[in-house]
Amino acid sequence: MIGGIGERMTTHTLELKNLTKKIKGKTIVDDLSFSVREGEIFGLLGPNGAGKTTTIRMIVGLISITDGDVLINGDNLRGNFEKAMERVGAIVENPQLYDYMTGYKNLMQYARIMPDVTKERIDEVIELVDLKYAIHDKVKTYSLGMRQRLGVAQALLHRPNVLILDEPTNGLDPQGIYDLRNYLRLLANNGTSVIVSSHMLAEMQMMCDRVAIIQHGKLVRIDEILNQEDETEVKVHFQIEGDVAQAKQVLLNLNEDLNVTESGQELIVQTADVRFIAELNKQLVLAGVLVVGIQRKTKTLEERFLEMTKKGGDLNEVAVPVNK
Amino acid sequence: MKWLSLLTNEWIKIFSRTRTWIFLAIPIVIIIGIAVYDKVTTDVEVNENWKQELTQTVKDDQKALDDAKKNGDNAIYIDSLESAIKQNKYAIANDISPYETTAWQFMKDMAFISSLIGLFVIVVASDIVSNEFAKGTIKMLLIRPYSRWKILLSKFVATLGFAFVMWLVVIVATWLVGGLAYGFGGMDQSYLITADDGQVKERLIVEYVFANIGVEFIELTTLVAMSFMISTLFMSNSVAIGVAMFTLFAGNIIVTLLANKDWVIYTLFANMDLSVLIDGQNQLVKDLTLPFSISVLAVYTAIMLAITFTVFQKRDVKA
Ligand SMILES: Nc1ncnc2c1ncn2[C@@H]1O[C@H](COP(=O)(O)OP(=O)(O)OP(=O)(O)O)[C@@H](O)[C@H]1O
Ligand SMILES: [Mg+2]
């Protein structure tokens, strides 16, 4: 990239301006505006039916735009579709591939029609999504996760600088999710803008730099996600059977400065360190306290999300096994 | 950008399907089967004594004709008997054996195979758009930096290419099989037709064969355009296959029913079978001529393509 030295202003690779979609008189996406910066991972978060997929469909030109504009790398999608889409890679809902062809031949389909995709690049991408062992098998033999990996591979082939992934972790195993998250970060560090949609808070929180919360097709707000080191907001809930106050004392005896609060049959400790959580659990058990459950809750975004979308229930609770 | 790569992709998709190879194999197997069957069962005696055989046929036909006239049977039936008798008499008088088979005669006899090809082409053409909608693969294609019309055009050209290749393969196969079975000669062989004025005339078989090859390309183009339009409008290959097959096969019945209406000549049905217009035999609608029918098909094809491209350009893809 030849960037003007000195003019280091933020570049926006994707801009939505008052984007609106109406289907049969029903407004599905309502006056949505936001801009995605170069090199950031941007999340679209919203409950089922919020309009995330509809928004993405408009961005990639699968459905018409009722009103508003989409600018990709400065090119207006409505006026110059081919130019605008040149550096876009995307998965919209599930990646659907040609069942009757091998994974490799599927990739060849897209390699052929995108600019500058070499054979080396194809191999590189296959390596990246860890699909080398099955790439010459027919796609009809693939599992959901393998299809998802192939979908990610086709989206990355031509080194897009705007990568749009609708529910990319759907069907991936933990290793796959972990790898994807790391790889997306790597891409972002190299200047790619990544747009991911999800209704899973934890995932968004771990993955994104900024998250737009969408409900009923409207933008509720855009949140900056705090850095991973800055996880003071992570709380651990110990569910205790018996005397909660006594259990609290056990923990305070261990460390006076510990931030512990009681809540019904639960003790809530503010910490993100897994080893430390295990240590606390061990001490509780040694002291004869019956711990029946431990849950780590990543707060902020979840609280905001539930508050904004006005829905109850803990959507994001990561259970940690208890050793009795 | 690289439109030709789009075309390559479509071509690869067509030939990646087992179905395509079966479609190519079926007509060839049928042709070989018919040639072998004919070789095994044909009575050489009859062929050598064809004049006696034919004289007998003329006698039988004459009797049938007399009966038919007495009973006041269908005029078409009477006409066909009369022309058969005339043709056979002409054959005997001018020494033109209808039983002498050569590669070219074989190709003329096998011309019906083109209906089968029409059928397979309908299946492929209906599928190439609607299957991608059904399977959802269309969205992986439409998010590429190509205008939609370019993508649709690549599909249209690929299907047309497939149809033409299939037709050519079958022609060459028929010629080879015919030649191997009956010898490759016969370029100067004639067959008999009954002209409008009731006169029996000789025509070269080769002329018919080449004319038939030519008009089939035109018919296939229209069929592809029609299947394309229906599958784009309804996004369903079964509807497309159904309607296209109906037009191809039930067309004749409809035309027969409507034969006395003036406007029937402007319908698609009436013009879908160009091969009968080559020598004017077995023609259902008398007013049609080859140039007229080709013009009608061209107009229909252009309209159907215009509708297809317009609809496809605007369609919301929710696959
Ligand atoms: N073709 C359509 N006609 C009418 N309504 C539609 C159509 N397509 C989508 N919708 C409506 O638009 C809304 C948004 O759908 P969309 O698929 O964008 O949601 P989403 O945010 O992606 O949800 P999810 O998390 O379940 O994927 C839904 O309420 C849906 O019912
Ligand atoms: Mg969705």
Short mmCIF file of all heavy atoms in Angstrom, two decimals, chain A residues 50-109:
data_model
loop_
_atom_site.label_atom_id
_atom_site.label_comp_id
_atom_site.label_asym_id
_atom_site.label_seq_id
_atom_site.Cartn_x
_atom_site.Cartn_y
_atom_site.Cartn_z
N ALA A 50 -32.80 -9.88 13.67
CA ALA A 50 -32.53 -8.46 13.84
C ALA A 50 -32.29 -7.77 12.50
O ALA A 50 -32.48 -6.56 12.37
CB ALA A 50 -31.33 -8.26 14.75
N GLY A 51 -31.86 -8.53 11.53
CA GLY A 51 -31.57 -7.93 10.22
C GLY A 51 -30.10 -7.96 9.84
O GLY A 51 -29.68 -7.30 8.90
N LYS A 52 -29.32 -8.77 10.53
CA LYS A 52 -27.89 -8.85 10.24
C LYS A 52 -27.64 -9.43 8.85
O LYS A 52 -26.92 -8.86 8.04
CB LYS A 52 -27.18 -9.75 11.29
CG LYS A 52 -27.43 -9.35 12.72
CD LYS A 52 -26.71 -10.26 13.68
CE LYS A 52 -27.27 -11.68 13.74
NZ LYS A 52 -28.59 -11.77 14.35
N THR A 53 -28.26 -10.58 8.61
CA THR A 53 -28.06 -11.22 7.31
C THR A 53 -28.59 -10.35 6.18
O THR A 53 -27.96 -10.22 5.13
CB THR A 53 -28.73 -12.60 7.30
OG1 THR A 53 -28.17 -13.38 8.35
CG2 THR A 53 -28.50 -13.31 5.99
N THR A 54 -29.74 -9.72 6.42
CA THR A 54 -30.31 -8.84 5.40
C THR A 54 -29.35 -7.70 5.08
O THR A 54 -29.15 -7.35 3.91
CB THR A 54 -31.66 -8.28 5.89
OG1 THR A 54 -32.48 -9.38 6.32
CG2 THR A 54 -32.37 -7.53 4.80
N THR A 55 -28.74 -7.13 6.11
CA THR A 55 -27.77 -6.06 5.89
C THR A 55 -26.60 -6.56 5.05
O THR A 55 -26.19 -5.92 4.08
CB THR A 55 -27.24 -5.55 7.26
OG1 THR A 55 -28.35 -5.18 8.06
CG2 THR A 55 -26.31 -4.38 7.07
N ILE A 56 -26.09 -7.74 5.43
CA ILE A 56 -24.95 -8.29 4.69
C ILE A 56 -25.33 -8.59 3.24
O ILE A 56 -24.57 -8.31 2.32
CB ILE A 56 -24.42 -9.56 5.41
CG1 ILE A 56 -23.75 -9.13 6.71
CG2 ILE A 56 -23.47 -10.33 4.52
CD1 ILE A 56 -23.25 -10.25 7.56
N ARG A 57 -26.54 -9.10 3.04
CA ARG A 57 -26.98 -9.36 1.65
C ARG A 57 -26.97 -8.10 0.81
O ARG A 57 -26.65 -8.12 -0.37
CB ARG A 57 -28.39 -9.95 1.66
CG ARG A 57 -28.44 -11.42 1.98
CD ARG A 57 -29.87 -11.93 1.88
NE ARG A 57 -30.02 -13.20 2.54
CZ ARG A 57 -29.66 -14.37 2.00
NH1 ARG A 57 -29.14 -14.40 0.80
NH2 ARG A 57 -29.80 -15.48 2.68
N MET A 58 -27.36 -6.98 1.44
CA MET A 58 -27.34 -5.72 0.70
C MET A 58 -25.91 -5.29 0.40
O MET A 58 -25.61 -4.81 -0.68
CB MET A 58 -28.08 -4.63 1.49
CG MET A 58 -29.57 -4.64 1.27
SD MET A 58 -30.34 -3.15 1.90
CE MET A 58 -30.42 -3.53 3.63
N ILE A 59 -25.03 -5.48 1.40
CA ILE A 59 -23.64 -5.05 1.22
C ILE A 59 -22.97 -5.78 0.05
O ILE A 59 -22.18 -5.22 -0.68
CB ILE A 59 -22.83 -5.26 2.52
CG1 ILE A 59 -23.40 -4.41 3.66
CG2 ILE A 59 -21.36 -4.93 2.30
CD1 ILE A 59 -22.75 -4.66 5.01
N VAL A 60 -23.31 -7.07 -0.12
CA VAL A 60 -22.66 -7.83 -1.19
C VAL A 60 -23.52 -7.90 -2.46
O VAL A 60 -23.18 -8.62 -3.39
CB VAL A 60 -22.29 -9.26 -0.73
CG1 VAL A 60 -21.25 -9.21 0.37
CG2 VAL A 60 -23.51 -10.03 -0.28
N GLY A 61 -24.62 -7.15 -2.47
CA GLY A 61 -25.38 -7.04 -3.71
C GLY A 61 -26.29 -8.21 -4.02
O GLY A 61 -26.72 -8.38 -5.15
N LEU A 62 -26.60 -9.03 -3.02
CA LEU A 62 -27.50 -10.15 -3.30
C LEU A 62 -28.95 -9.69 -3.35
O LEU A 62 -29.77 -10.29 -4.04
CB LEU A 62 -27.34 -11.24 -2.24
CG LEU A 62 -26.09 -12.10 -2.35
CD1 LEU A 62 -26.03 -13.11 -1.22
CD2 LEU A 62 -26.07 -12.83 -3.69
N ILE A 63 -29.25 -8.65 -2.57
CA ILE A 63 -30.60 -8.10 -2.65
C ILE A 63 -30.51 -6.60 -2.92
O ILE A 63 -29.49 -5.98 -2.62
CB ILE A 63 -31.43 -8.38 -1.37
CG1 ILE A 63 -30.79 -7.75 -0.14
CG2 ILE A 63 -31.60 -9.87 -1.14
CD1 ILE A 63 -31.59 -7.93 1.12
N SER A 64 -31.56 -6.07 -3.48
CA SER A 64 -31.52 -4.66 -3.85
C SER A 64 -31.58 -3.77 -2.61
O SER A 64 -32.08 -4.18 -1.57
CB SER A 64 -32.69 -4.35 -4.78
OG SER A 64 -33.89 -4.57 -4.08
N ILE A 65 -31.07 -2.58 -2.76
CA ILE A 65 -31.09 -1.61 -1.67
C ILE A 65 -32.32 -0.74 -1.86
O ILE A 65 -32.51 -0.16 -2.93
CB ILE A 65 -29.81 -0.75 -1.72
CG1 ILE A 65 -28.58 -1.63 -1.42
CG2 ILE A 65 -29.90 0.41 -0.75
CD1 ILE A 65 -27.25 -0.95 -1.68
N THR A 66 -33.18 -0.67 -0.83
CA THR A 66 -34.38 0.15 -0.95
C THR A 66 -33.99 1.62 -0.90
O THR A 66 -34.46 2.43 -1.68
CB THR A 66 -35.38 -0.16 0.18
OG1 THR A 66 -35.60 -1.56 0.21
CG2 THR A 66 -36.70 0.56 -0.05
N ASP A 67 -33.09 1.94 0.03
CA ASP A 67 -32.66 3.32 0.18
C ASP A 67 -31.29 3.35 0.83
O ASP A 67 -30.93 2.45 1.57
CB ASP A 67 -33.67 4.09 1.04
CG ASP A 67 -33.80 5.52 0.56
OD1 ASP A 67 -32.96 5.93 -0.28
OD2 ASP A 67 -34.73 6.22 0.99
N GLY A 68 -30.54 4.41 0.56
CA GLY A 68 -29.22 4.54 1.16
C GLY A 68 -28.13 4.02 0.24
O GLY A 68 -28.40 3.64 -0.90
N ASP A 69 -26.90 4.04 0.76
CA ASP A 69 -25.77 3.65 -0.08
C ASP A 69 -24.79 2.76 0.69
O ASP A 69 -24.69 2.83 1.91
CB ASP A 69 -25.00 4.90 -0.54
CG ASP A 69 -25.75 5.60 -1.65
OD1 ASP A 69 -25.90 4.98 -2.71
OD2 ASP A 69 -26.20 6.74 -1.43
N VAL A 70 -24.08 1.96 -0.08
CA VAL A 70 -22.98 1.16 0.46
C VAL A 70 -21.73 1.56 -0.31
O VAL A 70 -21.71 1.50 -1.53
CB VAL A 70 -23.24 -0.35 0.28
CG1 VAL A 70 -22.01 -1.15 0.69
CG2 VAL A 70 -24.46 -0.79 1.08
N LEU A 71 -20.70 2.00 0.43
CA LEU A 71 -19.44 2.32 -0.22
C LEU A 71 -18.39 1.31 0.21
O LEU A 71 -18.19 1.09 1.40
CB LEU A 71 -18.97 3.73 0.16
CG LEU A 71 -19.89 4.90 -0.16
CD1 LEU A 71 -19.24 6.22 0.26
CD2 LEU A 71 -20.21 4.94 -1.64
N ILE A 72 -17.77 0.68 -0.77
CA ILE A 72 -16.70 -0.25 -0.45
C ILE A 72 -15.42 0.27 -1.09
O ILE A 72 -15.37 0.47 -2.30
CB ILE A 72 -17.01 -1.67 -0.96
CG1 ILE A 72 -18.36 -2.14 -0.41
CG2 ILE A 72 -15.90 -2.63 -0.56
CD1 ILE A 72 -18.82 -3.47 -0.94
N ASN A 73 -14.42 0.51 -0.27
CA ASN A 73 -13.17 1.13 -0.74
C ASN A 73 -13.46 2.37 -1.58
O ASN A 73 -12.82 2.62 -2.59
CB ASN A 73 -12.34 0.12 -1.54
CG ASN A 73 -11.85 -1.02 -0.67
OD1 ASN A 73 -11.38 -0.80 0.44
ND2 ASN A 73 -11.98 -2.24 -1.16
N GLY A 74 -14.47 3.09 -1.15
CA GLY A 74 -14.80 4.35 -1.81
C GLY A 74 -15.72 4.22 -3.01
O GLY A 74 -16.22 5.22 -3.52
N ASP A 75 -15.93 2.99 -3.49
CA ASP A 75 -16.79 2.82 -4.65
C ASP A 75 -18.21 2.51 -4.23
O ASP A 75 -18.44 1.67 -3.36
CB ASP A 75 -16.28 1.67 -5.53
CG ASP A 75 -14.97 2.02 -6.21
OD1 ASP A 75 -14.93 3.04 -6.91
OD2 ASP A 75 -13.98 1.28 -5.99
N ASN A 76 -19.14 3.19 -4.86
CA ASN A 76 -20.54 2.98 -4.52
C ASN A 76 -21.05 1.70 -5.18
O ASN A 76 -20.96 1.52 -6.38
CB ASN A 76 -21.37 4.17 -4.99
CG ASN A 76 -22.75 4.16 -4.36
OD1 ASN A 76 -23.38 3.10 -4.20
ND2 ASN A 76 -23.22 5.33 -3.98
N LEU A 77 -21.59 0.84 -4.34
CA LEU A 77 -22.06 -0.46 -4.82
C LEU A 77 -23.13 -0.29 -5.90
O LEU A 77 -23.20 -1.06 -6.86
CB LEU A 77 -22.64 -1.24 -3.64
CG LEU A 77 -22.89 -2.72 -3.86
CD1 LEU A 77 -21.59 -3.48 -3.86
CD2 LEU A 77 -23.81 -3.27 -2.79
N ARG A 78 -23.96 0.72 -5.73
CA ARG A 78 -25.07 0.89 -6.67
C ARG A 78 -24.59 1.37 -8.03
O ARG A 78 -25.15 1.02 -9.05
CB ARG A 78 -26.08 1.90 -6.11
CG ARG A 78 -26.80 1.39 -4.90
CD ARG A 78 -27.73 2.45 -4.37
NE ARG A 78 -29.12 2.04 -4.52
CZ ARG A 78 -30.13 2.72 -4.00
NH1 ARG A 78 -29.92 3.83 -3.34
NH2 ARG A 78 -31.36 2.29 -4.14
N GLY A 79 -23.52 2.17 -8.02
CA GLY A 79 -23.07 2.71 -9.29
C GLY A 79 -22.02 1.86 -9.96
O GLY A 79 -21.95 1.75 -11.17
N ASN A 80 -21.18 1.24 -9.14
CA ASN A 80 -20.03 0.54 -9.71
C ASN A 80 -19.82 -0.80 -9.01
O ASN A 80 -18.85 -1.00 -8.28
CB ASN A 80 -18.79 1.42 -9.56
CG ASN A 80 -17.69 0.99 -10.50
OD1 ASN A 80 -17.77 -0.07 -11.12
ND2 ASN A 80 -16.66 1.80 -10.58
N PHE A 81 -20.75 -1.68 -9.24
CA PHE A 81 -20.76 -2.97 -8.54
C PHE A 81 -19.45 -3.74 -8.72
O PHE A 81 -18.84 -4.21 -7.75
CB PHE A 81 -21.94 -3.81 -9.03
CG PHE A 81 -22.05 -5.15 -8.37
CD1 PHE A 81 -22.59 -5.27 -7.10
CD2 PHE A 81 -21.58 -6.30 -9.01
CE1 PHE A 81 -22.68 -6.50 -6.48
CE2 PHE A 81 -21.67 -7.54 -8.39
CZ PHE A 81 -22.22 -7.63 -7.12
N GLU A 82 -19.00 -3.85 -9.96
CA GLU A 82 -17.83 -4.68 -10.23
C GLU A 82 -16.59 -4.16 -9.52
O GLU A 82 -15.82 -4.93 -8.94
CB GLU A 82 -17.59 -4.78 -11.75
CG GLU A 82 -18.74 -5.47 -12.45
CD GLU A 82 -18.43 -5.85 -13.89
OE1 GLU A 82 -17.37 -5.43 -14.40
OE2 GLU A 82 -19.24 -6.56 -14.50
N LYS A 83 -16.41 -2.86 -9.57
CA LYS A 83 -15.24 -2.27 -8.92
C LYS A 83 -15.34 -2.44 -7.40
O LYS A 83 -14.38 -2.81 -6.73
CB LYS A 83 -15.17 -0.78 -9.29
CG LYS A 83 -13.90 -0.08 -8.85
CD LYS A 83 -12.78 -0.41 -9.82
CE LYS A 83 -11.44 0.20 -9.43
NZ LYS A 83 -11.08 0.15 -8.04
N ALA A 84 -16.55 -2.16 -6.88
CA ALA A 84 -16.74 -2.23 -5.44
C ALA A 84 -16.50 -3.63 -4.90
O ALA A 84 -15.95 -3.80 -3.81
CB ALA A 84 -18.15 -1.75 -5.08
N MET A 85 -16.87 -4.65 -5.67
CA MET A 85 -16.80 -6.02 -5.16
C MET A 85 -15.44 -6.68 -5.37
O MET A 85 -15.21 -7.79 -4.92
CB MET A 85 -17.87 -6.89 -5.84
CG MET A 85 -19.29 -6.56 -5.44
SD MET A 85 -19.56 -6.66 -3.67
CE MET A 85 -19.51 -8.43 -3.43
N GLU A 86 -14.56 -5.99 -6.06
CA GLU A 86 -13.29 -6.60 -6.43
C GLU A 86 -12.49 -7.09 -5.23
O GLU A 86 -11.86 -8.14 -5.29
CB GLU A 86 -12.48 -5.58 -7.23
CG GLU A 86 -11.62 -6.22 -8.28
CD GLU A 86 -11.17 -5.20 -9.31
OE1 GLU A 86 -11.92 -4.95 -10.28
OE2 GLU A 86 -10.10 -4.63 -9.09
N ARG A 87 -12.52 -6.35 -4.14
CA ARG A 87 -11.70 -6.75 -3.01
C ARG A 87 -12.55 -7.15 -1.81
O ARG A 87 -12.21 -6.92 -0.66
CB ARG A 87 -10.73 -5.62 -2.66
CG ARG A 87 -9.83 -5.30 -3.85
CD ARG A 87 -8.65 -4.48 -3.46
NE ARG A 87 -7.78 -5.17 -2.51
CZ ARG A 87 -6.99 -4.54 -1.65
NH1 ARG A 87 -6.98 -3.24 -1.59
NH2 ARG A 87 -6.22 -5.24 -0.84
N VAL A 88 -13.70 -7.75 -2.12
CA VAL A 88 -14.58 -8.23 -1.06
C VAL A 88 -14.57 -9.75 -1.04
O VAL A 88 -14.59 -10.39 -2.09
CB VAL A 88 -16.03 -7.74 -1.31
CG1 VAL A 88 -16.99 -8.32 -0.26
CG2 VAL A 88 -16.09 -6.24 -1.30
N GLY A 89 -14.50 -10.31 0.15
CA GLY A 89 -14.67 -11.75 0.30
C GLY A 89 -15.80 -11.94 1.28
O GLY A 89 -15.95 -11.16 2.21
N ALA A 90 -16.64 -12.95 1.07
CA ALA A 90 -17.79 -13.05 1.96
C ALA A 90 -18.33 -14.46 2.11
O ALA A 90 -18.15 -15.31 1.24
CB ALA A 90 -18.92 -12.14 1.45
N ILE A 91 -18.95 -14.67 3.25
CA ILE A 91 -19.81 -15.84 3.45
C ILE A 91 -21.14 -15.29 3.92
O ILE A 91 -21.19 -14.52 4.88
CB ILE A 91 -19.29 -16.78 4.55
CG1 ILE A 91 -17.90 -17.31 4.20
CG2 ILE A 91 -20.25 -17.93 4.76
CD1 ILE A 91 -17.38 -18.28 5.25
N VAL A 92 -22.22 -15.63 3.22
CA VAL A 92 -23.54 -15.19 3.64
C VAL A 92 -24.31 -16.41 4.13
O VAL A 92 -24.53 -17.35 3.38
CB VAL A 92 -24.30 -14.52 2.49
CG1 VAL A 92 -25.63 -13.98 2.97
CG2 VAL A 92 -23.47 -13.41 1.89
N GLU A 93 -24.70 -16.38 5.38
CA GLU A 93 -25.29 -17.54 6.04
C GLU A 93 -24.39 -18.76 5.80
O GLU A 93 -23.18 -18.63 5.87
CB GLU A 93 -26.74 -17.75 5.60
CG GLU A 93 -27.61 -16.68 6.24
CD GLU A 93 -29.10 -16.91 6.11
OE1 GLU A 93 -29.55 -17.31 5.04
OE2 GLU A 93 -29.81 -16.66 7.10
N ASN A 94 -24.94 -19.92 5.55
CA ASN A 94 -24.05 -21.06 5.37
C ASN A 94 -23.37 -20.99 4.01
O ASN A 94 -24.00 -20.64 3.04
CB ASN A 94 -24.84 -22.36 5.46
CG ASN A 94 -25.52 -22.49 6.80
OD1 ASN A 94 -24.94 -22.16 7.83
ND2 ASN A 94 -26.76 -22.93 6.78
N PRO A 95 -22.09 -21.33 3.98
CA PRO A 95 -21.47 -21.36 2.67
C PRO A 95 -21.99 -22.56 1.90
O PRO A 95 -21.93 -23.68 2.38
CB PRO A 95 -19.98 -21.53 2.98
CG PRO A 95 -19.93 -22.13 4.33
CD PRO A 95 -21.18 -21.74 5.06
N GLN A 96 -22.58 -22.32 0.73
CA GLN A 96 -23.09 -23.42 -0.06
C GLN A 96 -22.17 -23.67 -1.22
O GLN A 96 -21.82 -22.76 -1.95
CB GLN A 96 -24.52 -23.14 -0.53
CG GLN A 96 -25.54 -23.66 0.45
CD GLN A 96 -26.37 -22.58 1.09
OE1 GLN A 96 -26.14 -21.40 0.88
NE2 GLN A 96 -27.36 -22.98 1.87
N LEU A 97 -21.74 -24.91 -1.34
CA LEU A 97 -20.73 -25.23 -2.33
C LEU A 97 -21.25 -26.31 -3.26
O LEU A 97 -22.30 -26.89 -3.02
CB LEU A 97 -19.47 -25.68 -1.60
CG LEU A 97 -19.00 -24.59 -0.63
CD1 LEU A 97 -18.59 -25.17 0.69
CD2 LEU A 97 -17.90 -23.77 -1.24
N TYR A 98 -20.49 -26.55 -4.33
CA TYR A 98 -20.92 -27.55 -5.29
C TYR A 98 -20.61 -28.94 -4.76
O TYR A 98 -19.45 -29.35 -4.71
CB TYR A 98 -20.26 -27.31 -6.65
CG TYR A 98 -20.60 -25.95 -7.20
CD1 TYR A 98 -19.68 -24.91 -7.19
CD2 TYR A 98 -21.88 -25.70 -7.69
CE1 TYR A 98 -20.02 -23.65 -7.66
CE2 TYR A 98 -22.22 -24.44 -8.17
CZ TYR A 98 -21.29 -23.43 -8.15
OH TYR A 98 -21.63 -22.18 -8.62
N ASP A 99 -21.65 -29.63 -4.35
CA ASP A 99 -21.52 -30.95 -3.73
C ASP A 99 -20.82 -31.96 -4.62
O ASP A 99 -20.14 -32.84 -4.14
CB ASP A 99 -22.92 -31.50 -3.41
CG ASP A 99 -23.42 -30.98 -2.09
OD1 ASP A 99 -22.60 -30.38 -1.36
OD2 ASP A 99 -24.61 -31.17 -1.79
N TYR A 100 -21.08 -31.82 -5.92
CA TYR A 100 -20.60 -32.84 -6.85
C TYR A 100 -19.14 -32.62 -7.27
O TYR A 100 -18.63 -33.35 -8.11
CB TYR A 100 -21.51 -32.91 -8.07
CG TYR A 100 -21.77 -31.58 -8.74
CD1 TYR A 100 -20.90 -31.09 -9.70
CD2 TYR A 100 -22.86 -30.79 -8.37
CE1 TYR A 100 -21.12 -29.87 -10.30
CE2 TYR A 100 -23.09 -29.56 -8.97
CZ TYR A 100 -22.21 -29.10 -9.93
OH TYR A 100 -22.43 -27.88 -10.52
N MET A 101 -18.52 -31.59 -6.69
CA MET A 101 -17.10 -31.36 -7.00
C MET A 101 -16.28 -31.52 -5.73
O MET A 101 -16.80 -31.44 -4.63
CB MET A 101 -16.91 -29.94 -7.50
CG MET A 101 -17.42 -29.67 -8.88
SD MET A 101 -16.73 -28.10 -9.42
CE MET A 101 -18.15 -27.34 -10.08
N THR A 102 -14.98 -31.70 -5.91
CA THR A 102 -14.10 -31.78 -4.76
C THR A 102 -13.92 -30.38 -4.18
O THR A 102 -14.25 -29.38 -4.82
CB THR A 102 -12.72 -32.31 -5.15
OG1 THR A 102 -12.11 -31.37 -6.02
CG2 THR A 102 -12.81 -33.66 -5.84
N GLY A 103 -13.41 -30.35 -2.95
CA GLY A 103 -13.15 -29.06 -2.32
C GLY A 103 -12.21 -28.23 -3.18
O GLY A 103 -12.42 -27.03 -3.37
N TYR A 104 -11.21 -28.89 -3.73
CA TYR A 104 -10.22 -28.18 -4.54
C TYR A 104 -10.86 -27.58 -5.78
O TYR A 104 -10.62 -26.42 -6.12
CB TYR A 104 -9.09 -29.13 -4.93
CG TYR A 104 -7.88 -28.39 -5.44
CD1 TYR A 104 -6.94 -27.88 -4.56
CD2 TYR A 104 -7.70 -28.18 -6.80
CE1 TYR A 104 -5.84 -27.19 -5.01
CE2 TYR A 104 -6.60 -27.48 -7.27
CZ TYR A 104 -5.67 -26.99 -6.37
OH TYR A 104 -4.59 -26.29 -6.83
N LYS A 105 -11.71 -28.37 -6.44
CA LYS A 105 -12.34 -27.86 -7.66
C LYS A 105 -13.29 -26.72 -7.34
O LYS A 105 -13.48 -25.81 -8.15
CB LYS A 105 -13.08 -28.99 -8.38
CG LYS A 105 -12.08 -29.96 -8.98
CD LYS A 105 -12.64 -30.69 -10.19
CE LYS A 105 -11.54 -31.40 -10.93
NZ LYS A 105 -11.84 -32.80 -11.24
N ASN A 106 -13.91 -26.77 -6.17
CA ASN A 106 -14.73 -25.65 -5.74
C ASN A 106 -13.88 -24.39 -5.62
O ASN A 106 -14.27 -23.32 -6.11
CB ASN A 106 -15.38 -25.96 -4.38
CG ASN A 106 -16.77 -26.53 -4.52
OD1 ASN A 106 -17.72 -25.81 -4.77
ND2 ASN A 106 -16.89 -27.84 -4.40
N LEU A 107 -12.73 -24.52 -4.98
CA LEU A 107 -11.87 -23.35 -4.84
C LEU A 107 -11.40 -22.86 -6.21
O LEU A 107 -11.31 -21.65 -6.45
CB LEU A 107 -10.65 -23.69 -3.97
CG LEU A 107 -10.94 -23.88 -2.48
CD1 LEU A 107 -9.65 -24.13 -1.72
CD2 LEU A 107 -11.66 -22.66 -1.90
N MET A 108 -11.14 -23.80 -7.10
CA MET A 108 -10.71 -23.42 -8.46
C MET A 108 -11.77 -22.57 -9.16
O MET A 108 -11.46 -21.65 -9.90
CB MET A 108 -10.45 -24.68 -9.30
CG MET A 108 -9.08 -25.30 -9.12
SD MET A 108 -7.74 -24.13 -9.39
CE MET A 108 -8.01 -23.75 -11.13
N GLN A 109 -13.05 -22.91 -8.91
CA GLN A 109 -14.14 -22.13 -9.49
C GLN A 109 -13.96 -20.65 -9.16
O GLN A 109 -14.12 -19.79 -10.02
CB GLN A 109 -15.49 -22.61 -8.94
CG GLN A 109 -15.96 -23.91 -9.51
CD GLN A 109 -16.69 -23.72 -10.83
OE1 GLN A 109 -17.48 -22.81 -11.00
NE2 GLN A 109 -16.41 -24.59 -11.77
#
